[in-house]
Amino acid sequence: MPRIFINGHPVEAEKGQTVLQAALAHGFFIPYFCWHPALSVSGNCRICAVEVEGEDLDIACNMPVREGMRVLTDSEAVQAWRKRMMQFITLNHPVDCGICDKAGECTLQDYHYEYNGEPSVSREPKVHATKFFRLSARVLIDNERCILCSRCVRFTHEVSRSRALGIQNRADSSLVRASEDGRFEDDPYSDNVIDLCPVGALFSPSLLYRHRVWYLQATPSVCPGCARGCTVRIWHRRPDWALHALDGRQNEAIARVTPRENPAVNGPWICNKGRDLARIFERPRATQAMLKGEPVALGTAVDAARRLLEGARRPVALVSNWGSNEELEAFQRALGGRVRAFVKEDFSPAPGEPVEDDLLIRADKNPNTAAARALFGDAPPAFEDGTDLLLVWGEGLDFSRLPTRVPIICLNAYLQPENGHADVFLPVSVQTERAGHYTNFQGVVSAFEPCFAKRDSVAHAESLFAALASPPGPSP
Amino acid sequence: MKHLIPECEALKARLPQGFESTLVLPCLRRVQEERGYVADGDIDALAQYLGVPRVQIEEVLSFYTQFRRQPIGRWHLQACHNVSCSLRGAGSLLDRLRERLGIEPGQTTPDGRFTLSTVECLGSCGTAPVLVVNEVYHESMTPEKLDALLEGLE
Ligand code: SF4
Ligand code: SF4
Ligand code: FES
Ligand code: FES
């Protein structure tokens, strides 16, 4: 363990570390653009330079620690270097923060205030380049904002391995471009480059001009898109900045989803499906309890379900593998002794969806199969003769595959044609309206928190199961 | 580029596996030597042969200005216009070339005989100004030497 000195403080560095890594690990900040902990060292932005006493300045991201070295991260020479580098990097930058989605979380903006703070030194007209250039349907680039750090290019070479991005031309005419063979379009991890970009050069058409990040709040969550269960942040309008004049639905909409770094599950990445959780959670919702398709109050429907359960001798339940650990346990506690339960797959791979790869994506497109199977086994649903009640929790089940003339109690969060065919239909909450945990295929348990309030006409499945187990009668 | 494959295979054999992208540059050079320029079809063929994405070939092509994407004339005249050559008369040499050929740098004469280019330092400042004709350096050029030279180029 080489001992080095950073600004005079002794630091035990690890063998093989760079000065940048050792400094960051011990709370000394050194700025960096092109370096990223999960990518190779490129060393092109030169902002991370430090002074080694008795030597010249050099970049910290590519400087191995050496026993006894004395590093200065903030000497006058370093400050002057950083300022010059910032001036160089911004020579042709359009400084259009006012209309840039990255403003508020942009490294260039932060470093400018921290290390430069002065107008451009260039008296030449700025070099113009393409704006809103389409790298794929999901990722646009403003080449004027690009500082050519090459993080996005390295990501496609080293992480997603599509090798879909490259830099064409030279010097101030350099342009990040996607391979003409369309492979960036097919890269299921492409949107990670948007987070990776230290500036606002890469952006998503789905977010463009819609939000200022300081009006958004990030709620920790878990992607239910497959059995990996990547930990994510779901961004939505801050309650203290709720919109009153405009469409109120914007206060309850998912603005974007970003990875929540997690070495045990997904590292710093997620796949594009995880970015599109709004497509799952913002499908039309079922908000009305029903008896054979006729709207009734939630309490009435619960009571009807209790009666059915009480009178049934051989009830079978199909349990959702989108239920949280808490919901599954609540089901087991309340009804486990009374019904024969099977795990139901709510989702299978959609046509055209990447099924499985060796990075993150898993073939099981449900978040909690592991926990559901641990409680209810992995036998496929079977309906013995004499089955006289079916409880169907969740979606993805074709009712025509169920035994005929058996009453059905159905719990679903989304508006689907089956709902009206159930004898009793109970609308339930979705993941973004409650807290809970999922257990991924490796057995790692991750927590999610609520982003939005649940409507009164909708129930949390967790409390519903206890209510269903109590004897019929007026609701408590 | 099919007939170049044995040559490329020989190059490949000298590299460890997984270094196919290293071969982009030498293969492109051979393609250009043979055809005189790099055609769209060459890019596709090379991408397929090396198994690299097209963008990696475009990167190399667009980085090195020495690569040409269009056919050129029989005689490629490359006039250096960097500092030493400019100080020693590259400007008037270029004017003479424009006047004699009736084209601007970057253009080819309609009869397909000459292509004119300006280039940066050719590493021959001691004998500036320099004009390269195809592969041959013509040093310490003067307008008179240029006239005599052009006469000899069919
Ligand atoms: S687009 Fe962003 S990540 Fe890619 S090279 Fe430019 S600045 Fe870096
Ligand atoms: S890999 Fe699976 S869990 Fe992770 S973001 Fe993609 S769909 Fe979601
Ligand atoms: S972070 Fe070290 S050179 Fe870019
Ligand atoms: S400047 Fe022309 S050869 Fe060097």
Side-chain angles (χ1 to χ4, degrees), chain A residues 271-327:
Chain A
C271 82
N272 289 350
K273 184 180 185 184
R275 307 270 169 180
D276 294 338
L277 293 187
R279 288 194 199 157
I280 294 176
F281 292 132
E282 291 174 6
R283 286 177 293 160
R285 289 287 301 282
T287 53
Q288 175 66 57
M290 293 184 289
L291 295 180
K292 290 200 166 66
E294 288 305 315
V296 293
L298 186 57
T300 313
V302 170
D303 201 43
R306 278 186 195 135
R307 281 178 211 285
L308 284 175
L309 269 163
E310 201 193 38
R313 262 174 295 142
R314 288 193 170 172
V316 170
L318 300 173
V319 171
S320 170
N321 56 357
W322 281 56
S324 66
N325 292 356
E326 291 77 1
E327 290 176 327

Side-chain angles (χ1 to χ4, degrees), chain A residues 37-101:
Chain A
L39 299 176
S40 63
V41 171
S42 166
N44 63 53
C45 77
R46 320 305 285 181
I47 196 70
C48 67
V50 292
E51 186 174 349
V52 180
E53 278 178 41
E55 296 173 32
D56 268 348
L57 272 68
D58 207 345
I59 53 172
C61 69
N62 199 31
M63 185 188 287
V65 291
R66 272 180 285 123
E67 181 61 42
M69 77 195 301
R70 306 187 71 88
V71 177
L72 300 175
T73 66
D74 210 26
S75 66
E76 258 175 50
V78 171
Q79 288 176 14
W81 170 296
R82 278 182 196 154
K83 184 163 183 146
R84 283 197 302 274
M85 279 325 300
M86 286 305 294
Q87 287 173 335
F88 176 68
I89 290 168
T90 51
L91 267 187
N92 288 309
H93 189 278
V95 202
D96 56 345
C97 310
I99 54 160
C100 178
D101 279 354

Side-chain angles (χ1 to χ4, degrees), chain A residues 349-414:
Chain A
E353 174 178 6
V355 176
E356 183 157 283
D357 64 19
D358 56 5
L359 188 54
L360 296 176
I361 299 172
R362 303 289 302 174
D364 175 6
K365 304 300 178 192
N366 305 283
N368 215 8
T369 312
R373 289 211 174 131
L375 284 172
F376 306 107
D378 45 16
F383 310 102
E384 307 165 304
D385 287 345
T387 298
D388 55 0
L389 179 64
L390 290 162
L391 192 153
V392 181
W393 171 19
E395 56 185 313
L397 185 74
D398 181 358
F399 276 21
S400 66
R401 285 176 37 217
L402 295 176
T404 44
R405 283 191 284 281
V406 178
I408 299 174
I409 303 171
C410 173
L411 278 66
N412 194 357
Y414 299 100

Side-chain angles (χ1 to χ4, degrees), chain B residues 80-86 119-126 128-130 137:
Chain B
C80 173
H81 67 167
N82 212 302
V83 179
S84 307
C85 291
S86 294
V119 293
E120 305 307 334
C121 184
L122 293 160
S124 188
C125 308
V130 181
Y137 276 46

